[in-house]
Amino acid sequence: GDSVTQMEGPVTLSEEAFLTINCTYTATGYPSLFWYVQYPGEGLQLLLKATKADDKGSNKGFEATYRKETTSFHLEKGSVQVSDSAVYFCALTPLSSGSARQLTFGSGTQLTVLP
Amino acid sequence: DADVTQTPRNRITKTGKRIMLECSQTKGHDRMYWYRQDPGLGLRLIYYSFDVKDINKGEISDGYSVSRQAQAKFSLSLESAIPNQTALYFCATSDFQGTFFGQGTRLTVV
């Protein structure tokens, strides 16, 4: 079945450091790929998405590129802030789900940014 | 007000008790979902519903049931709660623009 493998955390960085959180996936066909963020005590919010190979999703300084050849969707940010501290989830929607849009999630990566 | 509202936000219950978690949405979406979050496991799908008359099991439906009372309401029941059902539960809705999550219900079974 479909699966998402995320870089294990937790990750601790100093403010203004460069962030990479690795994500690889296994799926048939051409899934849509997502990054969600969960701030403490809150639900998940969509951070960015990409729906086809070579698409780059971006939002709030975060970027991720859909790499079909390496089945990856790594999250990057050039300069993190304390307010970026959260749990980040990589996820996919398989093409076969049609309109149902069930999400398959990675295990999540806890990011802590220190001032 | 939140687009997807879950009640209660926190609940402690005893083993063997029946408990219901409720979800309502104001987004007008047909599709609704219940997920469970466990540390180190991400979110896993329990049940999903395409519309009021269409209910489907997800990856981990054993020990759970659901009811879609209306387009806007989707409740999750634990028929006889057990300690390994202690988790954070999320309701979600979706359309072509994406999936939208509630704030979660933290359930503890003692």
Side-chain angles (χ1 to χ4, degrees), chain A residues 38 43 89 99-100 102-103 106-107, chain B residues 31 33 35 37 40 42 48 90 102:
Chain A
Q38 184 181 28
F89 292 93
S99 62
Q102 302 100 297
L103 289 159
S107 58
Chain B
R31 303 166 210 135
Y33 311 80
Y35 288 90
Q37 183 181 10
Y48 61 101
F90 286 102

Side-chain angles (χ1 to χ4, degrees), chain A residues 24-45:
Chain A
T24 58
Y25 67 90
T26 301
T28 55
Y30 296 89
S32 294
L33 302 174
F34 306 84
W35 277 100
Y36 281 84
V37 58
Q38 184 181 28
Y39 297 104
E42 298 185 11
L44 278 71
Q45 303 173 24

Side-chain angles (χ1 to χ4, degrees), chain A residues 9-77:
Chain A
V11 174
T12 302
L13 297 173
S14 297
E15 204 165 27
E16 299 184 1
F18 184 85
L19 169 70
T20 299
I21 301 178
N22 290 336
C23 172
T24 58
Y25 67 90
T26 301
T28 55
Y30 296 89
S32 294
L33 302 174
F34 306 84
W35 277 100
Y36 281 84
V37 58
Q38 184 181 28
Y39 297 104
E42 298 185 11
L44 278 71
Q45 303 173 24
L46 179 64
L47 180 60
L48 54 84
K49 67 179 181 181
T51 58
K52 61 182 187 294
D54 300 325
D55 267 2
K56 176 183 285 188
S58 61
N59 186 24
K60 300 180 180 180
F62 291 89
E63 294 182 339
T65 300
Y66 188 144
R67 301 290 188 194
K68 180 69 175 174
E69 64 276 13
T70 55
T71 62
S72 65
F73 193 55
H74 304 322
L75 182 68
E76 297 182 336
K77 186 174 186 182

Side-chain angles (χ1 to χ4, degrees), chain B residues 10 16-17 28 39 44 58 60 68 81 88 109-110:
Chain B
N10 291 281
K17 293 291 187 181
R44 293 178 292 167
I60 54 164
R68 186 80 183 266
L88 186 55
V109 183
V110 298

